[in-house]
Amino acid sequence: MEDKDFLQFIANVKKMTGIDLALYKEAQMKRRLTSLRVKRGYQSFSQYFDAIAKDKELFYEFLDRMTINVSEFFRNPGRWEVLENKILPRLAAKSPRLKCWSAACSTGEEPYTLSLILLRKRLEATVLASDIDEGAIAKAKQGVYTDRSLQDCPKELVSKYFSKDTLSYRISDEVKNRVTFKKHNLLADPFDSQFDLIICRNVMIYFTEEAKHELYHKFSRALKPGGVLFVGSTEQIFQPQQYQLETEDTFFYRKMG
């Protein structure tokens, strides 16, 4: 009975939002949503669905829990060094104005990290940043962060591009204005094309193997030949050739052709 209740919840969420929870790993998703439902005092998923359909606050909380917004600037700093010193110079040599996409950008730390690097390298680029969670996007647009988010950000960039409030840091308009945010569902919405760089890190771990496989194909088609997909530190692609990709460095995959 409980399984039927959860499956009906998945179907209802898909109908209401277009988000297909069946494409996420079920045990993880179910555990997370069950704890949220119980915490809010609902006996069943059908009761919980009725509540989130009526109450915007509850709905945003549900979205937040589902998408797990954990991020910080320069996460895994060594990989960003490779991007800055090896990948971007090669891409910039081919394209005077780079077209970049931070997919599943959460609360903005990742696209703003890219923007900071592009400023430091004096490179021309457009940076699209997208996420399924409107709450995360709203937070990203504000550009206000705790010192925990900035622990790996080089000190000279913090002093140059952030202003300190009492408990937080506000990112400068110079960095913000280089990034365009939009709502986007990776699993359901169409992708733009001709990207030089796509960053999608620490998101794939939440998807089923089938969903991952489909997404890697879509990312590959969205890249220019020679363009690069930058993935997270738990997301190495085995047999990248099946997606017309080849390894350029650890966690960096170049589109063949």
Side-chain angles (χ1 to χ4, degrees):
M1 186 66 204
E2 192 193 325
D3 280 351
K4 197 175 167 195
D5 181 42
F6 186 63
L7 291 173
Q8 188 57 54
F9 178 77
I10 286 176
N12 289 339
V13 167
K14 187 176 182 184
K15 214 177 293 175
M16 181 172 82
T17 65
I19 298 165
D20 189 354
L21 297 180
L23 294 169
Y24 293 80
K25 289 179 181 168
E26 190 187 356
Q28 241 175 336
M29 181 60 61
K30 192 173 180 183
R31 192 166 58 244
R32 214 174 310 135
L33 292 178
T34 300
S35 75
L36 186 59
R37 167 176 71 72
V38 170
K39 186 173 133 192
R40 290 285 163 254
Y42 297 100
Q43 300 295 310
S44 66
F45 276 106
S46 66
Q47 285 179 5
Y48 182 52
F49 178 78
D50 290 344
I52 65 171
K54 292 192 196 92
D55 184 331
K56 220 169 187 180
E57 293 284 307
L58 272 181
F59 175 63
Y60 285 134
E61 181 188 48
F62 151 72
L63 262 192
D64 238 14
R65 179 60 59 94
M66 194 202 85
T67 50
I68 317 176
N69 295 313
V70 179
S71 191
E72 59 260 353
F73 284 82
F74 288 86
R75 186 175 185 174
N76 311 113
R79 296 296 88 205
W80 289 100
E81 280 172 33
V82 171
L83 179 72
E84 181 167 357
N85 299 319
K86 177 180 175 180
I87 308 292
L88 285 175
R90 179 182 69 74
L91 293 173
K94 287 177 67 182
S95 298
R97 189 173 175 79
L98 298 173
K99 183 178 179 181
C100 309
W101 177 22
S102 168
C105 68
S106 185
T107 44
E109 290 89 336
E110 181 178 277
Y112 288 145
T113 296
L114 177 60
S115 181
L116 287 165
I117 289 172
L118 291 164
L119 278 164
R120 184 153 72 176
K121 299 290 282 183
R122 294 192 172 87
L123 293 175
E124 282 299 309
T126 59
V127 180
L128 170 67
S130 67
D131 201 90
I132 197 171
D133 182 349
E134 288 178 6
I137 291 172
K139 195 166 178 229
K141 285 179 174 175
Q142 286 173 5
V144 177
Y145 298 97
T146 62
D147 52 4
R148 192 185 77 83
S149 297
L150 289 163
Q151 59 193 7
D152 286 324
C153 188
K155 298 288 175 281
E156 75 276 9
L157 293 179
V158 176
S159 59
K160 187 170 182 183
Y161 294 111
F162 291 82
S163 55
K164 192 170 182 344
D165 296 337
T166 319
L167 291 168
S168 57
Y169 291 80
R170 185 176 295 275
I171 201 160
S172 74
D173 287 346
E174 192 178 357
V175 180
K176 277 167 81 169
N177 293 342
R178 300 181 72 126
V179 182
T180 304
F181 288 95
K182 78 166 190 179
K183 184 181 178 185
H184 183 268
N185 181 342
L186 282 177
L187 297 170
D189 294 336
F191 287 15
D192 197 358
S193 61
Q194 294 296 298
F195 286 104
D196 294 286
L197 174 68
I198 298 175
I199 305 175
C200 187
R201 306 176 76 219
N202 311 303
V203 179
M204 293 298 205
I205 47 171
Y206 303 114
F207 297 136
T208 62
E209 289 308 310
E210 293 79 4
K212 271 186 220 178
H213 184 64
E214 178 58 30
L215 279 174
Y216 286 137
H217 275 302
K218 286 168 81 173
F219 281 134
S220 176
R221 288 194 291 268
L223 285 167
K224 282 181 187 171
V228 168
L229 174 64
F230 177 18
V231 301
S233 54
T234 56
E235 297 168 332
Q236 210 148 357
I237 303 175
F238 299 102
Q239 297 179 302
Q241 300 79 359
Q242 64 183 313
Y243 309 112
Q244 281 76 58
L245 299 171
E246 58 190 353
T247 305
E248 180 163 5
D249 205 299
T250 313
F251 311 120
F252 292 94
Y253 298 91
R254 177 171 44 206
K255 170 83 174 276
M256 293 155 80

PDB file of all heavy atoms in Angstrom, residues 64 67 69 105-108 131 133-141:
ATOM      1  N   ASP A  64      13.268  22.061  -2.875  1.00  0.00           N
ATOM      2  CA  ASP A  64      14.585  22.234  -2.269  1.00  0.00           C
ATOM      3  C   ASP A  64      15.164  20.907  -1.800  1.00  0.00           C
ATOM      4  O   ASP A  64      16.325  20.599  -2.044  1.00  0.00           O
ATOM      5  CB  ASP A  64      14.442  23.141  -1.040  1.00  0.00           C
ATOM      6  CG  ASP A  64      15.306  24.362  -1.143  1.00  0.00           C
ATOM      7  OD1 ASP A  64      15.790  24.634  -2.252  1.00  0.00           O
ATOM      8  OD2 ASP A  64      15.496  25.033  -0.130  1.00  0.00           O
ATOM      9  N   THR A  67      16.188  18.585  -4.695  1.00  0.00           N
ATOM     10  CA  THR A  67      17.339  18.936  -5.533  1.00  0.00           C
ATOM     11  C   THR A  67      18.637  19.103  -4.751  1.00  0.00           C
ATOM     12  O   THR A  67      19.699  19.248  -5.354  1.00  0.00           O
ATOM     13  CB  THR A  67      17.057  20.229  -6.331  1.00  0.00           C
ATOM     14  OG1 THR A  67      16.577  21.231  -5.434  1.00  0.00           O
ATOM     15  CG2 THR A  67      15.995  20.002  -7.372  1.00  0.00           C
ATOM     16  N   ASN A  69      20.548  21.384  -2.591  1.00  0.00           N
ATOM     17  CA  ASN A  69      21.458  22.464  -2.996  1.00  0.00           C
ATOM     18  C   ASN A  69      22.672  22.554  -2.078  1.00  0.00           C
ATOM     19  O   ASN A  69      22.634  23.183  -1.046  1.00  0.00           O
ATOM     20  CB  ASN A  69      20.692  23.793  -3.003  1.00  0.00           C
ATOM     21  CG  ASN A  69      19.611  23.779  -4.045  1.00  0.00           C
ATOM     22  OD1 ASN A  69      19.859  23.388  -5.180  1.00  0.00           O
ATOM     23  ND2 ASN A  69      18.406  24.152  -3.681  1.00  0.00           N
ATOM     24  N   CYS A 105      22.796  24.537 -11.637  1.00  0.00           N
ATOM     25  CA  CYS A 105      23.757  25.465 -11.015  1.00  0.00           C
ATOM     26  C   CYS A 105      23.476  25.721  -9.539  1.00  0.00           C
ATOM     27  O   CYS A 105      24.215  26.462  -8.899  1.00  0.00           O
ATOM     28  CB  CYS A 105      23.750  26.791 -11.762  1.00  0.00           C
ATOM     29  SG  CYS A 105      22.198  27.722 -11.554  1.00  0.00           S
ATOM     30  N   SER A 106      22.391  25.161  -9.008  1.00  0.00           N
ATOM     31  CA  SER A 106      22.061  25.340  -7.605  1.00  0.00           C
ATOM     32  C   SER A 106      21.999  26.832  -7.245  1.00  0.00           C
ATOM     33  O   SER A 106      21.393  27.619  -7.977  1.00  0.00           O
ATOM     34  CB  SER A 106      23.063  24.582  -6.729  1.00  0.00           C
ATOM     35  OG  SER A 106      22.708  24.646  -5.374  1.00  0.00           O
ATOM     36  N   THR A 107      22.666  27.238  -6.176  1.00  0.00           N
ATOM     37  CA  THR A 107      22.533  28.620  -5.677  1.00  0.00           C
ATOM     38  C   THR A 107      23.594  29.571  -6.248  1.00  0.00           C
ATOM     39  O   THR A 107      23.829  30.645  -5.693  1.00  0.00           O
ATOM     40  CB  THR A 107      22.566  28.626  -4.137  1.00  0.00           C
ATOM     41  OG1 THR A 107      23.620  27.766  -3.684  1.00  0.00           O
ATOM     42  CG2 THR A 107      21.264  28.101  -3.564  1.00  0.00           C
ATOM     43  N   GLY A 108      24.252  29.178  -7.345  1.00  0.00           N
ATOM     44  CA  GLY A 108      25.061  30.121  -8.108  1.00  0.00           C
ATOM     45  C   GLY A 108      26.565  30.089  -7.911  1.00  0.00           C
ATOM     46  O   GLY A 108      27.306  30.743  -8.653  1.00  0.00           O
ATOM     47  N   ASP A 131      18.763  25.884 -13.419  1.00  0.00           N
ATOM     48  CA  ASP A 131      18.433  24.919 -12.373  1.00  0.00           C
ATOM     49  C   ASP A 131      16.928  24.686 -12.409  1.00  0.00           C
ATOM     50  O   ASP A 131      16.169  25.532 -12.903  1.00  0.00           O
ATOM     51  CB  ASP A 131      18.850  25.446 -10.983  1.00  0.00           C
ATOM     52  CG  ASP A 131      19.005  24.308  -9.978  1.00  0.00           C
ATOM     53  OD1 ASP A 131      20.126  23.764  -9.868  1.00  0.00           O
ATOM     54  OD2 ASP A 131      18.011  23.956  -9.325  1.00  0.00           O
ATOM     55  N   ASP A 133      15.152  24.399  -9.707  1.00  0.00           N
ATOM     56  CA  ASP A 133      14.608  24.941  -8.457  1.00  0.00           C
ATOM     57  C   ASP A 133      14.588  26.468  -8.495  1.00  0.00           C
ATOM     58  O   ASP A 133      15.634  27.114  -8.456  1.00  0.00           O
ATOM     59  CB  ASP A 133      15.480  24.428  -7.299  1.00  0.00           C
ATOM     60  CG  ASP A 133      14.989  24.884  -5.936  1.00  0.00           C
ATOM     61  OD1 ASP A 133      14.105  25.763  -5.873  1.00  0.00           O
ATOM     62  OD2 ASP A 133      15.503  24.373  -4.928  1.00  0.00           O
ATOM     63  N   GLU A 134      13.391  27.049  -8.570  1.00  0.00           N
ATOM     64  CA  GLU A 134      13.275  28.509  -8.652  1.00  0.00           C
ATOM     65  C   GLU A 134      13.799  29.193  -7.389  1.00  0.00           C
ATOM     66  O   GLU A 134      14.307  30.312  -7.445  1.00  0.00           O
ATOM     67  CB  GLU A 134      11.818  28.911  -8.901  1.00  0.00           C
ATOM     68  CG  GLU A 134      11.367  28.592 -10.331  1.00  0.00           C
ATOM     69  CD  GLU A 134       9.907  28.936 -10.570  1.00  0.00           C
ATOM     70  OE1 GLU A 134       9.266  29.515  -9.680  1.00  0.00           O
ATOM     71  OE2 GLU A 134       9.412  28.601 -11.655  1.00  0.00           O
ATOM     72  N   GLY A 135      13.666  28.513  -6.254  1.00  0.00           N
ATOM     73  CA  GLY A 135      14.185  29.072  -4.999  1.00  0.00           C
ATOM     74  C   GLY A 135      15.697  29.211  -5.043  1.00  0.00           C
ATOM     75  O   GLY A 135      16.262  30.224  -4.609  1.00  0.00           O
ATOM     76  N   ALA A 136      16.357  28.187  -5.586  1.00  0.00           N
ATOM     77  CA  ALA A 136      17.821  28.234  -5.723  1.00  0.00           C
ATOM     78  C   ALA A 136      18.235  29.349  -6.675  1.00  0.00           C
ATOM     79  O   ALA A 136      19.195  30.080  -6.411  1.00  0.00           O
ATOM     80  CB  ALA A 136      18.341  26.888  -6.218  1.00  0.00           C
ATOM     81  N   ILE A 137      17.509  29.495  -7.783  1.00  0.00           N
ATOM     82  CA  ILE A 137      17.832  30.544  -8.759  1.00  0.00           C
ATOM     83  C   ILE A 137      17.657  31.933  -8.134  1.00  0.00           C
ATOM     84  O   ILE A 137      18.496  32.822  -8.322  1.00  0.00           O
ATOM     85  CB  ILE A 137      16.957  30.396 -10.030  1.00  0.00           C
ATOM     86  CG1 ILE A 137      17.370  29.143 -10.805  1.00  0.00           C
ATOM     87  CG2 ILE A 137      17.079  31.629 -10.916  1.00  0.00           C
ATOM     88  CD1 ILE A 137      16.460  28.793 -11.960  1.00  0.00           C
ATOM     89  N   ALA A 138      16.578  32.100  -7.373  1.00  0.00           N
ATOM     90  CA  ALA A 138      16.348  33.398  -6.715  1.00  0.00           C
ATOM     91  C   ALA A 138      17.501  33.729  -5.774  1.00  0.00           C
ATOM     92  O   ALA A 138      17.990  34.862  -5.722  1.00  0.00           O
ATOM     93  CB  ALA A 138      15.024  33.367  -5.950  1.00  0.00           C
ATOM     94  N   LYS A 139      17.972  32.711  -5.057  1.00  0.00           N
ATOM     95  CA  LYS A 139      19.097  32.908  -4.134  1.00  0.00           C
ATOM     96  C   LYS A 139      20.375  33.242  -4.922  1.00  0.00           C
ATOM     97  O   LYS A 139      21.153  34.120  -4.540  1.00  0.00           O
ATOM     98  CB  LYS A 139      19.294  31.636  -3.307  1.00  0.00           C
ATOM     99  CG  LYS A 139      20.165  31.850  -2.105  1.00  0.00           C
ATOM    100  CD  LYS A 139      20.090  30.716  -1.104  1.00  0.00           C
ATOM    101  CE  LYS A 139      21.050  31.021   0.030  1.00  0.00           C
ATOM    102  NZ  LYS A 139      21.935  30.015   0.429  1.00  0.00           N
ATOM    103  N   ALA A 140      20.569  32.541  -6.041  1.00  0.00           N
ATOM    104  CA  ALA A 140      21.748  32.797  -6.883  1.00  0.00           C
ATOM    105  C   ALA A 140      21.758  34.239  -7.388  1.00  0.00           C
ATOM    106  O   ALA A 140      22.794  34.900  -7.396  1.00  0.00           O
ATOM    107  CB  ALA A 140      21.762  31.821  -8.054  1.00  0.00           C
ATOM    108  N   LYS A 141      20.591  34.720  -7.799  1.00  0.00           N
ATOM    109  CA  LYS A 141      20.512  36.089  -8.328  1.00  0.00           C
ATOM    110  C   LYS A 141      20.838  37.130  -7.262  1.00  0.00           C
ATOM    111  O   LYS A 141      21.346  38.199  -7.571  1.00  0.00           O
ATOM    112  CB  LYS A 141      19.107  36.343  -8.904  1.00  0.00           C
ATOM    113  CG  LYS A 141      18.870  35.666 -10.245  1.00  0.00           C
ATOM    114  CD  LYS A 141      17.453  35.948 -10.711  1.00  0.00           C
ATOM    115  CE  LYS A 141      17.228  35.414 -12.117  1.00  0.00           C
ATOM    116  NZ  LYS A 141      15.812  35.577 -12.526  1.00  0.00           N
TER     117      LYS A 141
END
